Amino acid sequence: MTIKLMQGNEAIGMGAIAAGCRFYAGYPITPSTEVAEILSRELPKLGGKFIQMEDEIASMAAIIGARVGGLKSMTATSGPGFSLMQENLGYAAMAEIPCVIVNVQRLGPSTGQPTAASQGDVMQARWGTHGDHPMIALTPVTVRQSFDLTVKAFNLSEKFRTPVILLTDEIIGHMREPVKLPAFETIHPYEQVVADTPESYKAFRNEPGDVPPMAPFGRGYRYHITGLFHDEVGFPTQRLDEIDPWLERVNHKFDRHLDEIIMVESDFQEGAKTAIVTYGATARSARHALKIARQRGLKVSMLTLLTIWPFPETQVESLGDQVDRIIVPEMNLGQLALEVERMVGRRKVKRVNRANGEMVTPQMILDAIEG
Amino acid sequence: MSEHILTAHDLDVSEGQIPRENWFESSETLSKLRKSKKFPTIWCSGCGIGIVMGALIRAIDHLGIKNDEVALVAGIGCTARMPVYMDFNTLHTTHGRALAFATGLKIARPDMHVIAIMGDGDALAIGGNHFIHTARRNLDITAIVVNNAIYGMTGGQYSPTTPLDKRATTAPYGNIEPPFPVCELAIAAGATYVARSTVYHALELDKFLAEAIAKDGFSLVEAMSYCHTTYGRLNKFGKATDMMRSLKDNTITKTAYDKLPPEERASNTKFVRGMFCNIDRLPYTSQYDKVIARAQGGAQ
């Protein structure tokens, strides 16, 4: 493919197409709307389907319904819409329906500032829906990564039968960069294989660490899907000997696959006693600050998180063993910093926060490095 | 699963002719129940919801639709527990959202018969927005609203179809909110087939459900039922059998209603049973096929 000037949101749309997404349901909301506009144009060209639903609750419901029908599905939204999606996001986690939810974060709370950037939904992405559940959230830093991580989001969602959140923000979503996308033929979407016959199929088989494949409706595998706690064939249950194995399997289904799910970029400097842990648009400021600091002869390491959920515990913990302090810049009042503090202790963490819709500047991070 | 189900299907179990393990194979209709699911149902004895389930199975059976081709989608509530007992593709979703899930499923699988099963609170309060928009878009989905005028599962709170002045646990001084006319709402929103019957008139329900499922477009069947354990108790309506009888006594067929002189029609307080709307309109998925054709360079 040729080099093209492309917006982050556009790259997400193209990534979805490349990953095999053939159904999109959404509700217009700034600053995510371009994703819907692009997919309303591109999906029918491929025989895919697009629908603009009556709200974000319905959008989230429709993508789950479409995936149950066999189409890979996605929705895109921003803060207020993401809040509305939480109940059905939990349903997807409970019923183990693969789907991708793009949240182009804007400044909150409430209506906040629709056109201003934020990283205020970090904790909502993890814990926004009620109850204990696994969750994956990916955070691109560039337009190209918006494409790549969208593809990755689909593949992870299929492989682990889980909703995956692409947690981007207004800056990356609306920023234009020259990108060269890979040829779509070189991308291999993950396809679930149902090996069982309808007679032996158990949609929610509780073998530890096992993710049973999901048979789409209408292909001979008649079974029950519910948001209630269920047994291995999907029937509601109140029996502890059926609930406990479910809890064990589903809440630990990523454990043996963290190498595949957790993506980080390390830029470590020998002898550095200061490090930056960063993600999303803020990583761009951090890169700039790092460059200037090193030009000034300071030794600084940097860890950029492309996966924030599940949190890269091992990577951050081992970084904490190497340095005396870790700077965590965020466009919020300190959310992922809580996780970093959990791994390395509060005394080592220096937070740099801005939650007024403006970017954390390189100077703010530089001041923290030098301070 | 009890013997009265078999006797209701004219099967002689009195002399043990049909062994218990073979009950499910003993008729086409019963074969659509799930062998693997434990019966009896969660519904209170005397509840009308099971009659709607029977009618739905008979309608599907009558149309000769294969079990694989049917998807039942439900929300939350007593009625929404219905799909789990039937041997189809069954999706039990979140409260109020059955039609939104069904919309995605129907678009993904236009060839399947998608049937949304809801109670009055599920379909018209929390799910009211999806109800009108699914009708407006004309998704080829059959919506069944079992209307018992109350939230049963949570213990008898007033719903959007509770009649004025009636009591509920959250309307201890009488309900002051006027009820939604379910069928009229569906017609106004764009439904192509709309009918109402009651759980007393089970055979009529069979017929309306079969017509609704066969209809190429959004269809609604309102099945009037009752909740004797909450609504009935709070309003002193007596036993399940008394409430069942009142469905007979307090309804009038559309044919009879249409023949009434205008002044009697104006003062009629009975619920009208019948088919109120049957129009042809291209369903959403067929409209979207045109979008695909345009996008792929076909006719503009």
Side-chain angles (χ1 to χ4, degrees):
Chain A
M1 271 201 176
T2 53
I3 292 175
K4 205 182 157 199
L5 191 65
M6 190 180 275
Q7 208 180 39
N9 283 348
E10 192 180 354
I12 291 167
M14 300 315 282
I17 298 271
C21 173
R22 293 296 178 268
F23 182 83
Y24 179 98
Y27 187 82
I29 185 167
T30 303
S32 75
T33 311
E34 294 84 2
V35 181
E37 289 172 343
I38 287 156
L39 288 172
S40 71
R41 189 186 69 211
E42 297 300 323
L43 277 173
K45 290 181 186 172
L46 300 160
K49 317 281 175 70
F50 168 94
I51 187 168
Q52 188 169 298
M53 294 298 285
E54 52 272 22
D55 57 31
E56 288 89 347
I57 299 171
S59 303
M60 189 65 216
I63 68 166
I64 296 170
R67 183 61 190 84
V68 168
L71 296 185
K72 289 185 185 173
S73 305
M74 183 173 94
T75 186
T77 188
S78 190
F82 192 54
S83 295
L84 288 178
M85 289 177 182
Q86 291 301 327
E87 187 192 8
N88 286 335
L89 186 59
Y91 182 89
M94 180 57 141
E96 299 180 81
I97 314 292
C99 53
V100 174
I101 301 93
V102 177
N103 177 3
V104 188
Q105 292 169 97
R106 70 190 221 185
L107 185 63
S110 189
T111 314
Q113 189 70 263
T115 54
S118 158
Q119 292 174 317
D121 303 348
V122 164
M123 281 298 170
Q124 193 189 11
R126 180 66 191 89
W127 298 115
T129 196
H130 54 285
D132 288 293
H133 56 276
M135 194 58 70
I136 297 176
L138 310 179
T139 46
V141 179
T142 66
V143 172
R144 172 62 201 256
Q145 276 177 356
S146 300
F147 176 90
D148 293 339
L149 294 190
T150 302
V151 174
K152 183 85 177 176
F154 272 96
N155 289 344
L156 291 175
S157 78
E158 289 294 322
K159 181 161 185 184
F160 298 106
R161 269 185 78 174
T162 181
V164 175
I165 296 160
L166 187 79
L167 194 64
T168 182
D169 54 65
E170 191 276 335
I171 293 170
I172 309 293
H174 281 162
M175 181 179 63
R176 283 185 167 79
E177 283 185 311
V179 284
K180 188 179 177 186
L181 295 183
F184 285 11
E185 312 83 77
T186 64
I187 290 165
H188 302 292
Y190 185 90
E191 303 293 345
Q192 293 189 37
V193 178
V194 182
D196 286 294
T197 61
E199 291 71 34
S200 65
Y201 180 66
K202 286 182 176 172
F204 308 97
R205 197 189 294 275
N206 277 324
E207 280 163 21
D210 179 46
V211 182
M214 189 183 96
F217 273 11
R219 299 194 191 154
Y221 296 84
R222 295 190 302 276
Y223 64 104
H224 190 63
I225 302 177
T226 177
L228 289 163
F229 271 98
H230 43 271
D231 62 17
E232 291 189 317
V233 294
F235 292 151
T237 183
Q238 295 181 348
R239 283 170 48 175
L240 295 184
D241 64 340
E242 291 174 337
I243 291 173
D244 285 335
W246 185 95
L247 283 169
E248 179 65 20
R249 176 176 67 78
V250 172
N251 282 299
H252 295 280
K253 65 174 157 179
F254 304 150
D255 288 3
R256 295 189 300 134
H257 308 277
L258 291 177
D259 288 352
E260 202 177 329
I261 297 167
I262 289 180
M263 295 168 288
V264 299
E265 289 176 350
S266 307
D267 185 353
F268 291 170
Q269 197 171 22
E270 192 64 36
K273 289 293 158 199
T274 298
I276 307 166
V277 170
T278 185
Y279 62 97
T282 310
R284 301 178 74 92
S285 292
R287 277 178 194 176
H288 195 63
L290 187 79
K291 193 174 157 193
I292 295 170
R294 287 178 180 173
Q295 280 167 359
R296 292 180 186 173
L298 299 167
K299 286 185 176 175
V300 187
S301 289
M302 185 161 102
L303 185 68
T304 306
L305 311 182
L306 303 182
T307 304
I308 59 165
W309 303 118
F311 188 70
E313 295 180 348
T314 314
Q315 291 82 350
V316 171
E317 196 170 34
S318 89
L319 179 66
D321 292 339
Q322 298 162 42
V323 300
D324 296 332
R325 60 191 191 125
I326 292 180
I327 296 161
V328 186
E330 294 182 271
M331 287 188 288
N332 57 43
L333 294 179
Q335 294 194 19
L336 208 66
L338 294 166
E339 286 293 300
V340 179
E341 287 166 4
R342 183 169 68 85
M343 302 318 302
V344 306
R346 277 174 63 183
R347 281 184 297 121
K348 275 195 177 177
V349 174
K350 168 76 182 161
R351 300 178 180 193
V352 178
N353 302 113
R354 199 173 194 190
N356 60 4
E358 292 296 318
M359 218 172 163
V360 174
T361 62
Q363 188 61 51
M364 290 167 72
I365 300 169
L366 204 54
D367 289 346
I369 293 170
E370 293 178 333
Chain B
M1 187 78 188
S2 55
E3 297 196 359
H4 69 81
I5 296 181
L6 293 179
T7 48
H9 289 79
D10 299 326
L11 299 166
D12 183 10
V13 293
S14 56
E15 308 207 354
Q17 290 175 357
I18 304 168
R20 191 182 177 90
E21 58 271 24
N22 295 345
W23 280 4
F24 283 97
E25 281 80 24
S26 59
S27 83
E28 279 296 312
T29 312
L30 286 175
S31 75
K32 293 190 186 303
L33 289 174
R34 271 195 168 125
K35 270 187 276 193
S36 50
K37 185 73 188 96
K38 291 182 189 73
F39 285 82
T41 67
I42 64 155
W43 302 311
C44 307
S45 68
C47 179
I49 295 173
I51 294 170
V52 183
M53 179 162 85
L56 175 61
I57 285 180
R58 288 190 294 275
I60 292 170
D61 189 43
H62 171 76
L63 294 169
I65 300 167
K66 292 195 184 82
N67 292 18
D68 274 336
E69 296 167 355
V70 177
L72 304 182
V73 186
I76 296 293
C78 295
T79 299
R81 289 298 187 96
M82 194 194 294
V84 74
Y85 303 110
M86 288 175 276
D87 189 18
F88 303 115
N89 303 277
T90 55
L91 184 63
H92 179 223
T93 71
T94 49
H95 195 26
R97 318 303 171 196
L99 284 168
F101 280 77
T103 293
L105 178 57
K106 181 67 188 181
I107 293 173
R109 288 297 303 266
D111 56 315
M112 287 182 80
H113 294 277
V114 178
I115 300 167
I117 302 168
M118 301 165 285
D120 41 289
D122 199 23
L124 301 165
I126 189 166
N129 202 22
H130 312 308
F131 184 81
I132 55 175
H133 284 282
T134 313
R136 175 182 66 82
R137 290 189 191 104
N138 196 25
L139 265 298
D140 180 16
I141 292 169
T142 304
I144 303 172
V145 175
V146 179
N147 183 0
N148 61 7
I150 203 85
Y151 286 88
M153 189 166 268
T154 46
Q157 298 74 32
Y158 70 93
S159 90
T161 58
T162 304
L164 276 172
D165 300 328
K166 293 293 179 287
R167 287 175 199 275
T169 58
T170 48
Y173 308 107
N175 174 36
I176 59 168
E177 298 182 18
F180 260 141
V182 185
C183 291
E184 287 82 347
L185 183 66
I187 293 167
T192 58
Y193 178 94
V194 174
R196 178 193 292 128
S197 188
T198 84
V199 294
Y200 177 83
H201 306 87
L203 298 180
E204 187 177 71
L205 213 46
D206 292 8
K207 175 175 166 284
F208 289 157
L209 284 170
E211 287 174 359
I213 293 165
K215 183 73 190 179
D216 211 8
F218 184 84
S219 53
L220 167 83
V221 175
E222 178 186 358
M224 293 183 65
S225 186
Y226 53 83
C227 179
H228 55 295
T229 59
T230 62
Y231 184 66
R233 180 173 50 82
L234 290 163
N235 290 287
K236 299 185 169 51
F237 285 148
K239 300 188 294 287
T241 44
D242 298 322
M243 294 188 80
M244 181 69 97
R245 194 171 294 112
S246 82
L247 288 174
K248 180 192 174 199
D249 296 341
N250 291 315
T251 57
I252 176 172
T253 65
K254 183 167 183 302
T255 314
Y257 174 81
D258 288 343
K259 285 178 189 161
L260 292 176
E263 61 278 9
E264 280 188 47
R265 243 186 266 175
S267 60
N268 170 58
T269 55
K270 291 184 175 181
F271 288 99
V272 182
R273 293 178 356 247
M275 190 253 286
F276 303 106
C277 167
N278 190 359
I279 58 169
D280 291 321
R281 200 152 70 82
L282 202 60
Y284 179 90
T285 48
S286 304
Q287 293 281 11
Y288 200 85
D289 287 341
K290 292 185 188 173
V291 171
I292 291 175
R294 280 180 218 149
Q296 294 179 343
Q300 290 299 301

mmCIF file of all heavy atoms in Angstrom, chain B residues 153-172:
data_model
loop_
_atom_site.group_PDB
_atom_site.id
_atom_site.type_symbol
_atom_site.label_atom_id
_atom_site.label_comp_id
_atom_site.label_asym_id
_atom_site.label_seq_id
_atom_site.Cartn_x
_atom_site.Cartn_y
_atom_site.Cartn_z
ATOM 1 N N MET B 153 -41.449 -10.463 38.515
ATOM 2 C CA MET B 153 -40.266 -11.082 39.106
ATOM 3 C C MET B 153 -39.735 -10.319 40.312
ATOM 4 O O MET B 153 -39.211 -10.898 41.252
ATOM 5 C CB MET B 153 -39.177 -11.210 38.044
ATOM 6 C CG MET B 153 -37.991 -12.035 38.506
ATOM 7 S SD MET B 153 -36.937 -12.513 37.142
ATOM 8 C CE MET B 153 -37.633 -14.096 36.720
ATOM 9 N N THR B 154 -39.907 -8.987 40.283
ATOM 10 C CA THR B 154 -39.423 -8.175 41.400
ATOM 11 C C THR B 154 -40.482 -8.007 42.481
ATOM 12 O O THR B 154 -40.248 -7.325 43.474
ATOM 13 C CB THR B 154 -38.964 -6.796 40.903
ATOM 14 O OG1 THR B 154 -39.959 -6.282 40.015
ATOM 15 C CG2 THR B 154 -37.634 -6.894 40.184
ATOM 16 N N GLY B 155 -41.664 -8.567 42.258
ATOM 17 C CA GLY B 155 -42.625 -8.639 43.344
ATOM 18 C C GLY B 155 -43.827 -7.716 43.266
ATOM 19 O O GLY B 155 -44.476 -7.459 44.287
ATOM 20 N N GLY B 156 -44.145 -7.178 42.070
ATOM 21 C CA GLY B 156 -45.433 -6.497 41.934
ATOM 22 C C GLY B 156 -45.413 -4.984 41.890
ATOM 23 O O GLY B 156 -46.316 -4.310 42.403
ATOM 24 N N GLN B 157 -44.404 -4.409 41.264
ATOM 25 C CA GLN B 157 -44.367 -2.956 41.104
ATOM 26 C C GLN B 157 -45.167 -2.547 39.852
ATOM 27 O O GLN B 157 -45.329 -3.346 38.935
ATOM 28 C CB GLN B 157 -42.914 -2.466 40.965
ATOM 29 C CG GLN B 157 -42.051 -2.756 42.191
ATOM 30 C CD GLN B 157 -41.662 -4.209 42.322
ATOM 31 O OE1 GLN B 157 -41.495 -4.909 41.336
ATOM 32 N NE2 GLN B 157 -41.543 -4.687 43.555
ATOM 33 N N TYR B 158 -45.661 -1.304 39.818
ATOM 34 C CA TYR B 158 -46.479 -0.917 38.659
ATOM 35 C C TYR B 158 -45.612 -0.765 37.419
ATOM 36 O O TYR B 158 -44.455 -0.398 37.489
ATOM 37 C CB TYR B 158 -47.301 0.342 38.939
ATOM 38 C CG TYR B 158 -46.541 1.640 39.056
ATOM 39 C CD1 TYR B 158 -46.357 2.469 37.947
ATOM 40 C CD2 TYR B 158 -46.023 2.064 40.274
ATOM 41 C CE1 TYR B 158 -45.670 3.669 38.051
ATOM 42 C CE2 TYR B 158 -45.334 3.260 40.386
ATOM 43 C CZ TYR B 158 -45.157 4.055 39.275
ATOM 44 O OH TYR B 158 -44.486 5.238 39.387
ATOM 45 N N SER B 159 -46.225 -1.134 36.277
ATOM 46 C CA SER B 159 -45.506 -1.147 35.007
ATOM 47 C C SER B 159 -46.142 -0.136 34.056
ATOM 48 O O SER B 159 -47.157 0.475 34.398
ATOM 49 C CB SER B 159 -45.567 -2.551 34.399
ATOM 50 O OG SER B 159 -46.706 -2.691 33.568
ATOM 51 N N PRO B 160 -45.589 0.032 32.851
ATOM 52 C CA PRO B 160 -46.196 0.979 31.906
ATOM 53 C C PRO B 160 -47.533 0.520 31.350
ATOM 54 O O PRO B 160 -48.142 1.225 30.547
ATOM 55 C CB PRO B 160 -45.171 1.088 30.773
ATOM 56 C CG PRO B 160 -44.008 0.305 31.168
ATOM 57 C CD PRO B 160 -44.346 -0.533 32.343
ATOM 58 N N THR B 161 -47.984 -0.689 31.737
ATOM 59 C CA THR B 161 -49.315 -1.105 31.288
ATOM 60 C C THR B 161 -50.274 -1.345 32.471
ATOM 61 O O THR B 161 -51.372 -1.851 32.277
ATOM 62 C CB THR B 161 -49.240 -2.387 30.427
ATOM 63 O OG1 THR B 161 -48.635 -3.427 31.190
ATOM 64 C CG2 THR B 161 -48.437 -2.166 29.152
ATOM 65 N N THR B 162 -49.864 -0.986 33.663
ATOM 66 C CA THR B 162 -50.776 -1.107 34.800
ATOM 67 C C THR B 162 -51.942 -0.125 34.613
ATOM 68 O O THR B 162 -51.703 1.062 34.385
ATOM 69 C CB THR B 162 -50.048 -0.769 36.127
ATOM 70 O OG1 THR B 162 -48.911 -1.619 36.254
ATOM 71 C CG2 THR B 162 -50.959 -0.970 37.334
ATOM 72 N N PRO B 163 -53.164 -0.617 34.692
ATOM 73 C CA PRO B 163 -54.305 0.302 34.508
ATOM 74 C C PRO B 163 -54.350 1.388 35.598
ATOM 75 O O PRO B 163 -53.847 1.189 36.712
ATOM 76 C CB PRO B 163 -55.517 -0.621 34.606
ATOM 77 C CG PRO B 163 -55.005 -1.987 34.293
ATOM 78 C CD PRO B 163 -53.601 -2.013 34.814
ATOM 79 N N LEU B 164 -54.987 2.496 35.275
ATOM 80 C CA LEU B 164 -55.144 3.595 36.224
ATOM 81 C C LEU B 164 -55.867 3.117 37.492
ATOM 82 O O LEU B 164 -56.769 2.285 37.409
ATOM 83 C CB LEU B 164 -55.954 4.722 35.595
ATOM 84 C CG LEU B 164 -55.173 5.721 34.722
ATOM 85 C CD1 LEU B 164 -56.158 6.650 34.009
ATOM 86 C CD2 LEU B 164 -54.178 6.517 35.553
ATOM 87 N N ASP B 165 -55.445 3.661 38.603
ATOM 88 C CA ASP B 165 -56.072 3.421 39.917
ATOM 89 C C ASP B 165 -55.805 2.042 40.517
ATOM 90 O O ASP B 165 -56.155 1.796 41.663
ATOM 91 C CB ASP B 165 -57.601 3.644 39.877
ATOM 92 C CG ASP B 165 -57.945 5.065 39.470
ATOM 93 O OD1 ASP B 165 -57.145 5.965 39.807
ATOM 94 O OD2 ASP B 165 -58.971 5.259 38.793
ATOM 95 N N LYS B 166 -55.194 1.127 39.737
ATOM 96 C CA LYS B 166 -54.904 -0.188 40.297
ATOM 97 C C LYS B 166 -53.689 -0.109 41.228
ATOM 98 O O LYS B 166 -52.859 0.785 41.107
ATOM 99 C CB LYS B 166 -54.650 -1.202 39.169
ATOM 100 C CG LYS B 166 -55.897 -1.475 38.336
ATOM 101 C CD LYS B 166 -56.967 -2.184 39.147
ATOM 102 C CE LYS B 166 -58.230 -2.447 38.339
ATOM 103 N NZ LYS B 166 -59.035 -1.230 38.091
ATOM 104 N N ARG B 167 -53.643 -1.059 42.134
ATOM 105 C CA ARG B 167 -52.580 -1.023 43.139
ATOM 106 C C ARG B 167 -51.395 -1.911 42.766
ATOM 107 O O ARG B 167 -51.551 -2.939 42.125
ATOM 108 C CB ARG B 167 -53.137 -1.457 44.503
ATOM 109 C CG ARG B 167 -54.008 -0.391 45.104
ATOM 110 C CD ARG B 167 -54.679 -0.829 46.379
ATOM 111 N NE ARG B 167 -55.816 0.039 46.661
ATOM 112 C CZ ARG B 167 -55.726 1.212 47.295
ATOM 113 N NH1 ARG B 167 -54.554 1.630 47.734
ATOM 114 N NH2 ARG B 167 -56.784 1.960 47.493
ATOM 115 N N ALA B 168 -50.251 -1.441 43.195
ATOM 116 C CA ALA B 168 -49.014 -2.208 43.036
ATOM 117 C C ALA B 168 -48.185 -1.948 44.281
ATOM 118 O O ALA B 168 -48.496 -1.048 45.062
ATOM 119 C CB ALA B 168 -48.279 -1.746 41.776
ATOM 120 N N THR B 169 -47.120 -2.700 44.465
ATOM 121 C CA THR B 169 -46.332 -2.495 45.690
ATOM 122 C C THR B 169 -45.693 -1.111 45.709
ATOM 123 O O THR B 169 -45.390 -0.578 46.769
ATOM 124 C CB THR B 169 -45.235 -3.572 45.846
ATOM 125 O OG1 THR B 169 -44.395 -3.528 44.688
ATOM 126 C CG2 THR B 169 -45.814 -4.950 46.020
ATOM 127 N N THR B 170 -45.498 -0.524 44.520
ATOM 128 C CA THR B 170 -44.979 0.843 44.458
ATOM 129 C C THR B 170 -46.074 1.845 44.109
ATOM 130 O O THR B 170 -45.785 3.017 43.851
ATOM 131 C CB THR B 170 -43.834 0.948 43.433
ATOM 132 O OG1 THR B 170 -44.270 0.312 42.215
ATOM 133 C CG2 THR B 170 -42.568 0.271 43.940
ATOM 134 N N ALA B 171 -47.307 1.386 44.085
ATOM 135 C CA ALA B 171 -48.444 2.297 43.927
ATOM 136 C C ALA B 171 -49.471 1.926 44.998
ATOM 137 O O ALA B 171 -50.579 1.496 44.691
ATOM 138 C CB ALA B 171 -49.041 2.174 42.527
ATOM 139 N N PRO B 172 -49.080 2.075 46.266
ATOM 140 C CA PRO B 172 -49.973 1.618 47.342
ATOM 141 C C PRO B 172 -51.258 2.433 47.414
ATOM 142 O O PRO B 172 -52.245 1.979 47.988
ATOM 143 C CB PRO B 172 -49.124 1.801 48.605
ATOM 144 C CG PRO B 172 -48.076 2.800 48.248
ATOM 145 C CD PRO B 172 -47.813 2.624 46.792
#
